[in-house]
């Protein structure tokens, strides 16, 4: 008698835990006619819970040393490397060929390594010491913007997810990401990778569901500081931009069609989600003209 | 136990004699037209509005009101100048034009300072020592960047955007025009600039300098008017970039208006800065910092230190020193070189401020004003502070844009960080302590774009300026101020 296979229950990922959606709803994306599974249809409440988790994780993650964040990102890549086969399986379930699946997994791992290396370097790239004309020491450094809503690309569901999440968290932001609607399997399995990679709970929160239902909440939530949208739905982009005005979220819109190209290995994606802070302090120049204060 | 009160007596029996700056050397027209395509042209509406000296309520000059048609004319002139001249010119030549502007401002510094104080009400000491020299320095700094952009952004092939529409506020009229125009020109863009309607004159004088400097026609266009003129700029289809400094409310309207376009936007908006005094600070310097933080330019400063947080252990002594120092502030004629606090910029703004004073009192806060005598004519507000305020009071949460300070106390570092960050704004903050490690702790945890440690309200062309959260986005000044005017 052949063994009965255990089917996986795909759940969402909030605050380092795997709850089901509070709404109790599901949807069933398909590859052709084959159902991929019963996937959580996340609600506005799930999103709000995820924002609370992301905000709660912000101080710890942004306050961690850059070296530490770098190692945590590297650890994600290590964990992913060990589970290549599982991700390839899921990509193939979602319709990829074996070759394409392998390429996507490899590229995803490499991209994480790439950004892991930036964690303790981008600051030097974007900082400045400013030669002001008064007796002050003055410098500018980037700081993470805060909590970021991320709309992961619909296609290339694994590398798309990686390419949007990793540069956002590299600087110390935390995020709530909506996975690919029709290809959500890898996103949830990736949550398992994160969960075993020393990434503090709440730094990355992953929801499954529909953009149609969630996009307006992701754009309007007053405790979200920035928004990373991928895609080219003009109507949705306009709506998101308008909703983001209320608390002046930083909105970044990219059409991730050339996801494998080297342009997606770039510190400028990190720069998109940082704020420049300039600090002044007097220099006491004994005997020199003019007071620094 | 009776509280010790050490009242400092500033009364020396000697009064400072008036020391007004002469207005004899300034040249002003009775009426100003629009500066479009290198020429002065009449507004198509034929309408003009007066610009008022807020210290005397007298009309200084009439200024043209630009409507949609005029905006279109200005944008066309800027576009033509961009495609035919400015974008083709070698960057090193562009730099030389900008250097010329800097030099001409320096040459005419006194005239600019006097007009700035007449038109806007700020003390001549500030317009002379801060606004005008910084404006010249800004042009000088950015001029040098024009032919060095590839070094600022290695391997990124920086390119200009095209036509920039720029809208400036009334608190630092010439300086804000410099902040806007200098980086735009250095990066190869052309400009349509609209100064605030209550303070158009120094921008118009700048237009004269631009003419004198021989800038190609249409590279800089300066048009005057109020909100509707600004809206016409924001909504014009052929503008590539909007740079706005002003209120958070208007900033949001602009952001909403451009949502469906490809216009790049920089917003420098409101603030409600925390100025934090620890018990280990050098208190006399800190008191100077508080005074400078909130009463500089009548408090018409987006980064003003309008929320004061004093460590409880030194609250009494700081408040005492602060009130004493307030008594020594001279409020009055902006053109007098001894004046510390000038006139409120407009009648409208005075109404806004007075309304907040009422709100503060009705919310249960205690108001204190210095005992100075203000002139009968003109718009004035005595330096004011509120004690007994709570975090939720409107005078603590909302930007007043006047010489009004709200004072709270704190006991722990964690508490003051929490309170300081508890605002939708995030433009600036001040920290006063003699302990370096504490200062760095605060400076890294305060969510604000500019942190002043043991100083306040310092500005420099090399130093990036701009906010977190609802104080806007993008930076002006420094290397970081180039990026908002470039694409890669």
């Amino acid at each position: 008698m052949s063994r009965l296979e255990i089917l996986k229950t795909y759940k969402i990922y909030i605050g380092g835990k795997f709850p089901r959606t509070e709404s109790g709803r599901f949807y069933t994306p398909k590859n052709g006619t084959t159902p991929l599974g019963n996937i959580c249809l996340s609600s506005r409440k799930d999103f709000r819970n995820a924002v609370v988790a992301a905000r709660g994780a912000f101080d710890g993650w942004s306050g961690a040393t850059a070296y530490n964040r770098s190692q945590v990102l590297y650890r994600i890549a290590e964990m992913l490397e060990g589970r290549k086969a599982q991700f390839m399986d899921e990509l193939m379930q979602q319709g990829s060929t074996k070759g394409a699946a392998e390429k996507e997994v490899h590229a995803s791992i490499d991209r994480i390594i790439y950004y892991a290396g930036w964690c303790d370097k981008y600051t030097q790239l974007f900082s400045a010491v400013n030669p002001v004309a008064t007796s002050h020491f003055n410098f500018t450094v980037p700081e993470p913007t805060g909590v970021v809503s991320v709309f992961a690309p619909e296609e290339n569901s694994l590398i798309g997810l990686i390419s949007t999440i990793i540069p956002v968290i590299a600087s110390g932001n935390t995020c709530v990401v909506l996975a690919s609607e029709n290809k959500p399997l890898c996103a949830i399995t990736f949550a398992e990778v994160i969960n075993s990679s020393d990434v503090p709970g709440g730094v990355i929160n992953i929801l499954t569901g529909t953009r149609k239902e969630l996009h307006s909440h992701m754009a309007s939530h007053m405790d979200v500081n920035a928004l990373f949208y991928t895609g080219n739905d003009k109507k949705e982009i306009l709506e998101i931009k308008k909703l983001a005005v209320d608390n002046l979220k930083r909105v970044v819109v990219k059409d991730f069609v050339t996801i494998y190209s080297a342009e997606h290995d770039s510190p400028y994606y990190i720069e998109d989600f940082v704020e420049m802070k300039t600090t002044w302090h007097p220099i006491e120049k004994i005997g020199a003209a003019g007071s620094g204060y | 136990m009776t509280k010790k009160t050490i009242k400092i007596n500033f009364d020396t029996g000697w009064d400072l004699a008036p020391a007004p700056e002469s207005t004899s050397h300034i040249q002003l027209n009775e009426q100003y037209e629009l500066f479009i395509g290198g020429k002065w042209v009449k507004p198509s509406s034929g309408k003009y509005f007066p610009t008022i000296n807020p210290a005397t309520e007298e009309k200084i000059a009439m200024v043209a009101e630009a409507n949609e048609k005029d905006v279109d004319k200005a944008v066309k002139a800027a576009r033509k100048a961009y495609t035919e001249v400015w974008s083709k010119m070698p960057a090193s030549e562009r730099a030389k034009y900008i250097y010329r502007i800097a030099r001409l401002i320096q040459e005419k510094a006194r005239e600019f300072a006097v007009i700035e104080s007449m038109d806007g009400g700020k003390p001549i000491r500030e317009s002379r020592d801060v606004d005008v020299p910084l404006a010249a320095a800004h042009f000088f700094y950015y001029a040098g960047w024009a032919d060095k952009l590839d070094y600022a952004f290695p391997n990124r092939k920086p390119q200009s955007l095209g036509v920039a529409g720029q809208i400036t506020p009334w608190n630092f009229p010439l300086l804000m025009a410099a902040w806007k125009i200098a980086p735009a020109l250095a990066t190869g863009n052309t400009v349509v600039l609209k100064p605030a309607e209550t303070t158009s004159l120094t921008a118009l004088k700048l237009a004269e300098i631009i003419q004198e400097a021989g800038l190609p026609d249409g590279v800089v266009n300066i048009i005057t008017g109020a909100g509707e003129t600004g809206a016409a700029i924001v909504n014009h289809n052929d503008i590539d970039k909007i740079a706005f400094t002003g209120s958070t409310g208007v900033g949001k309207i602009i952001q909403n208006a451009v949502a469906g376009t490809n216009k790049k936007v920089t917003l420098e908006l409101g603030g409600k800065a925390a100025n934090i005094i620890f018990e280990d600070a050098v208190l006399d310097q800190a008191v100077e910092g508080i005074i400078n933080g909130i009463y500089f330019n009548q408090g018409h400063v987006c980064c003003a230190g309008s929320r004061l947080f004093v460590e409880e252990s030194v609250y009494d002594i700081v408040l005492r020193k602060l009130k004493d120092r307030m008594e020594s502030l001279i409020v009055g004629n902006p053109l007098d070189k001894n004046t510390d606090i000038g006139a409120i910029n407009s009648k409208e703004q005075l109404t806004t401020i007075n309304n907040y004073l009422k709100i503060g009192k009705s919310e249960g806060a205690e108001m204190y004003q210095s005992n100075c005598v203000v002139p009968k004519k003109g718009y004035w507000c005595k330096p004011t502070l509120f004690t007994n305020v709570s975090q939720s009071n409107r005078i603590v949460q909302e930007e007043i844009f006047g010489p009004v300070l709200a004072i709270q106390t704190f006991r722990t570092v964690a508490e003051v960080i929490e309170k300081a960050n508890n605002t939708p704004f995030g433009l600036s903050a001040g920290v006063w302590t003699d302990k370096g490690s504490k200062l760095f702790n605060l400076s890294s945890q305060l969510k604000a774009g500019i942190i002043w440690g043991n100083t306040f309200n310092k500005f420099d062309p090399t130093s990036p300026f701009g906010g977190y959260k609802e104080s806007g986005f993008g930076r002006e000044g420094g290397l970081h101020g180039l990026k908002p005017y470039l694409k890669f």
Side-chain angles (χ1 to χ4, degrees):
Chain A
M1 211 173 87
S2 65
R3 181 180 168 275
L4 183 65
E5 200 184 346
I6 306 292
L7 295 173
K8 177 169 171 179
T9 306
Y10 286 95
K11 298 196 284 187
I12 54 179
Y13 185 58
I14 297 176
K17 296 195 163 57
F18 291 90
R20 287 197 172 84
T21 165
E22 63 79 37
S23 68
R25 303 170 307 166
F26 71 99
Y27 71 111
T28 315
K30 294 185 176 76
N31 172 28
T33 53
T34 318
L36 295 177
N38 294 325
I39 305 297
C40 287
L41 186 59
S42 300
S43 65
R44 177 189 186 189
K45 175 77 171 130
D46 291 319
F47 176 71
R48 293 168 67 98
N49 290 343
V51 172
V52 171
R55 178 60 64 194
F58 180 75
D59 280 353
W61 183 241
S62 59
T65 64
Y67 179 38
N68 179 237
R69 277 201 307 275
S70 184
Q71 290 183 90
V72 171
L73 259 59
Y74 188 87
R75 181 82 178 151
I76 300 175
E78 284 180 345
M79 293 296 104
L80 194 52
E81 182 83 25
R83 293 171 69 163
K84 271 195 299 197
Q86 187 183 1
F87 280 93
M88 282 175 59
D89 272 354
E90 284 174 343
L91 286 169
M92 287 186 283
Q93 274 185 58
Q94 293 175 164
S96 291
T97 62
K98 191 178 179 200
E102 188 173 53
K103 181 184 169 199
E104 184 161 354
V105 173
H106 284 168
S108 298
I109 297 166
D110 292 352
R111 189 154 284 166
I112 298 169
I113 298 291
Y114 175 82
Y115 281 109
W118 270 122
C119 291
D120 52 4
K121 296 171 191 66
Y122 80 91
T123 309
Q124 287 171 312
L125 204 62
F126 301 134
S127 292
V129 171
N130 311 305
V132 294
T134 48
S135 181
H136 292 91
F137 183 60
N138 176 302
F139 59 96
T140 302
V141 290
E143 286 187 348
T145 299
V147 174
V148 185
S149 281
V150 177
F151 296 74
E154 190 53 34
E155 291 303 313
N156 305 302
S157 62
L158 179 62
I159 185 141
L161 186 79
I162 302 293
S163 306
T164 45
I165 295 178
I166 300 297
V168 165
I169 66 160
S171 63
N173 292 300
T174 58
C175 66
V176 180
V177 52
L178 177 61
S180 165
E181 182 176 329
N182 293 307
K183 299 180 175 179
L185 302 186
C186 297
I188 296 306
T189 305
F190 184 65
E192 294 159 15
V193 166
I194 297 162
N195 202 39
S196 56
S197 304
D198 303 329
V199 180
V203 171
I204 302 172
N205 303 277
I206 300 178
L207 305 180
T208 50
T210 67
R211 283 195 177 192
K212 192 163 172 269
E213 178 177 354
L214 291 175
H215 76 278
S216 62
H217 306 309
M218 294 175 75
S220 62
H221 195 295
M222 290 298 275
D223 203 28
V224 170
N225 303 100
L227 205 151
F228 192 178
Y229 181 91
T230 60
N232 56 11
D233 182 335
K234 286 216 172 72
K235 193 171 152 256
E236 205 168 73
I237 292 169
L238 179 62
E239 208 179 323
I240 279 171
K241 280 186 170 173
K242 290 202 171 243
L243 287 167
V245 169
D246 238 0
N247 66 338
L248 291 179
K249 288 180 191 70
R250 286 71 170 124
V251 179
V252 177
V253 174
K254 302 274 176 188
D255 194 359
F256 267 21
V257 281
T258 55
I259 195 81
Y260 290 101
S261 80
E263 72 186 80
H264 292 293
D265 288 336
S266 158
Y268 305 123
Y269 284 111
I270 300 175
E271 194 189 18
D272 280 340
F273 300 96
V274 297
E275 306 289 317
M276 294 298 166
K277 175 182 276 182
T278 299
T279 305
W280 293 69
H281 197 276
I283 302 170
E284 190 173 64
K285 288 193 173 155
I286 296 165
S291 157
Y293 301 97
Chain B
M1 199 182 92
T2 51
K3 265 190 191 165
K4 253 204 281 181
T5 50
I6 318 151
K7 172 82 181 146
I8 304 173
N9 184 9
F10 286 98
D11 186 9
T12 57
W14 295 86
D15 282 331
L16 287 169
E21 178 67 45
S22 165
T23 58
S24 61
H25 60 292
I26 64 163
Q27 293 170 21
L28 278 174
N29 303 340
E30 282 179 11
Q31 180 174 303
Y32 280 90
E33 313 297 343
L34 306 169
F35 185 65
I36 296 174
K39 291 173 189 61
W40 294 97
V41 299
K42 296 202 172 299
S44 53
S45 66
K47 283 189 197 157
Y48 295 83
F49 59 92
T51 186
I52 306 287
N53 180 339
T56 61
E57 300 179 46
E58 282 161 11
K59 185 186 85 181
I60 308 172
M62 295 299 284
V63 176
E65 186 184 315
N67 64 15
E68 230 169 284
K69 270 188 203 161
D70 301 309
V71 169
D72 187 54
K73 235 191 263 178
V75 173
K76 285 201 170 99
R79 174 63 61 192
K80 186 161 182 275
Y82 177 73
T83 45
E84 291 178 11
V85 186
W86 200 241
S87 63
K88 289 182 181 162
M89 187 184 287
S92 54
E93 292 298 299
R94 231 164 51 213
K96 281 152 64 182
Y97 278 112
I98 307 169
Y99 277 125
R100 273 195 187 180
I101 299 173
R103 280 306 205 211
L104 282 164
I105 293 175
Q106 288 173 330
E107 284 166 19
K108 301 186 172 188
R110 194 51 57 93
E111 185 184 14
F112 270 99
V114 170
I115 295 174
E116 197 74 302
S117 282
M118 285 171 67
D119 201 20
K122 65 173 65 202
I124 185 76
R125 189 165 51 84
E126 290 176 12
S127 50
R128 182 195 63 201
D129 296 349
V130 180
D131 294 67
V132 176
L134 274 180
H138 223 83
F139 280 105
F140 202 87
Y141 173 75
Y142 275 110
W145 269 124
D147 55 359
K148 302 170 188 69
L149 298 174
D150 287 331
Y151 296 93
F153 305 98
N155 299 318
R156 296 188 77 187
K157 300 189 186 73
Q159 291 167 298
S160 56
L161 299 172
V163 177
Q166 308 182 315
I167 301 168
T168 54
W170 45 259
N171 56 346
F172 295 91
L174 177 69
L175 183 57
M176 290 300 108
W179 278 30
K180 295 278 178 290
I181 296 173
L185 296 186
T187 49
N189 300 282
T190 58
V191 164
V192 175
L193 177 125
K194 184 196 86 66
E197 68 273 21
T198 61
T199 54
S200 306
L201 292 181
T202 45
L204 293 163
K205 293 297 286 183
L206 182 63
E208 290 177 4
I209 275 188
I210 282 162
Q211 240 178 348
E212 194 179 336
L215 245 77
D217 292 349
V219 170
V220 175
N221 304 274
I222 294 179
I223 55 175
T224 44
E228 277 180 34
T229 315
I233 293 175
V234 169
N235 293 320
H236 197 288
N237 284 332
D238 201 31
I239 282 184
D240 304 288
K241 159 85 191 177
I242 297 290
F244 171 77
T245 298
S247 73
T248 291
V250 175
K252 288 180 182 177
I253 293 170
I254 290 174
Q255 183 69 354
N256 199 45
V258 301
T261 71
N262 290 323
K263 288 178 184 134
K264 268 189 118 176
V265 179
T266 305
L267 299 175
E268 299 289 358
L269 308 177
K272 195 75 189 177
N275 200 1
I276 301 168
I277 316 294
F278 285 98
E279 64 173 6
D280 56 15
V282 180
L283 292 184
D284 287 334
Q285 283 169 8
V287 168
E288 283 309 302
I290 298 166
I291 294 281
N292 178 44
I294 185 61
Y295 301 129
F296 175 63
N297 198 28
Q298 298 75 249
H300 302 328
V301 185
C302 46
C303 50
S306 49
R307 290 184 299 152
L308 177 65
F309 293 94
V310 185
E311 190 160 6
E312 209 172 82
S313 50
V314 290
Y315 174 70
D316 287 340
I317 186 163
V318 168
L319 191 63
R320 176 79 266 144
K321 282 172 182 279
L322 188 57
K323 285 180 175 175
D324 283 351
R325 182 67 179 86
M326 281 165 76
E327 286 306 317
S328 69
L329 292 172
I330 299 170
V331 183
N333 182 7
L335 287 176
D336 193 310
K337 284 167 251 184
N338 292 320
T339 294
D340 296 304
I341 298 180
I344 299 302
N345 185 269
S346 65
K347 197 174 181 179
E348 195 189 2
Q349 185 57 23
L350 182 60
T351 309
T352 304
I353 296 168
N354 284 336
N355 192 32
Y356 272 111
L357 299 187
K358 265 189 222 140
I359 291 169
K361 284 185 279 188
S362 71
E363 283 181 323
E366 240 169 83
M367 186 171 90
Y368 174 85
Q369 291 187 312
S370 74
N371 290 304
C372 61
V373 179
V374 300
K376 284 211 172 65
K377 269 201 134 184
Y379 316 127
W380 310 95
C381 179
K382 292 178 180 181
T384 307
L385 61 79
F386 277 102
T387 51
N388 198 21
V389 299
S390 70
Q391 193 70 12
S392 60
N393 284 169
R394 283 183 64 191
I395 53 167
V396 172
Q397 288 294 327
E398 297 171 22
E399 185 176 42
I400 299 173
F401 228 61
V404 184
L405 180 67
I407 308 181
Q408 294 172 268
T409 59
F410 68 92
R411 289 182 181 176
T412 67
V413 170
E415 178 194 354
V416 76
I417 289 169
E418 173 84 31
K419 282 180 167 170
N421 285 336
N422 182 7
T423 160
F425 297 113
L427 188 52
S428 65
V431 183
W432 297 81
T433 168
D434 235 13
K435 199 170 176 209
S437 57
K438 194 190 275 179
L439 183 71
F440 278 114
N441 179 29
L442 268 288
S443 68
S444 62
Q445 296 209 52
L446 292 170
K447 301 275 180 275
I450 302 106
I451 308 289
W452 284 296
N454 293 318
T455 185
F456 211 96
N457 271 345
K458 292 285 184 281
F459 310 94
D460 193 276
T462 68
S463 177
F465 186 95
Y468 284 31
K469 301 195 282 187
E470 293 186 32
S471 289
F473 43 74
R475 292 291 176 269
E476 295 185 310
L479 186 152
H480 296 83
L482 295 167
K483 202 183 149 209
Y485 287 97
L486 292 165
K487 59 187 173 200
F488 303 100

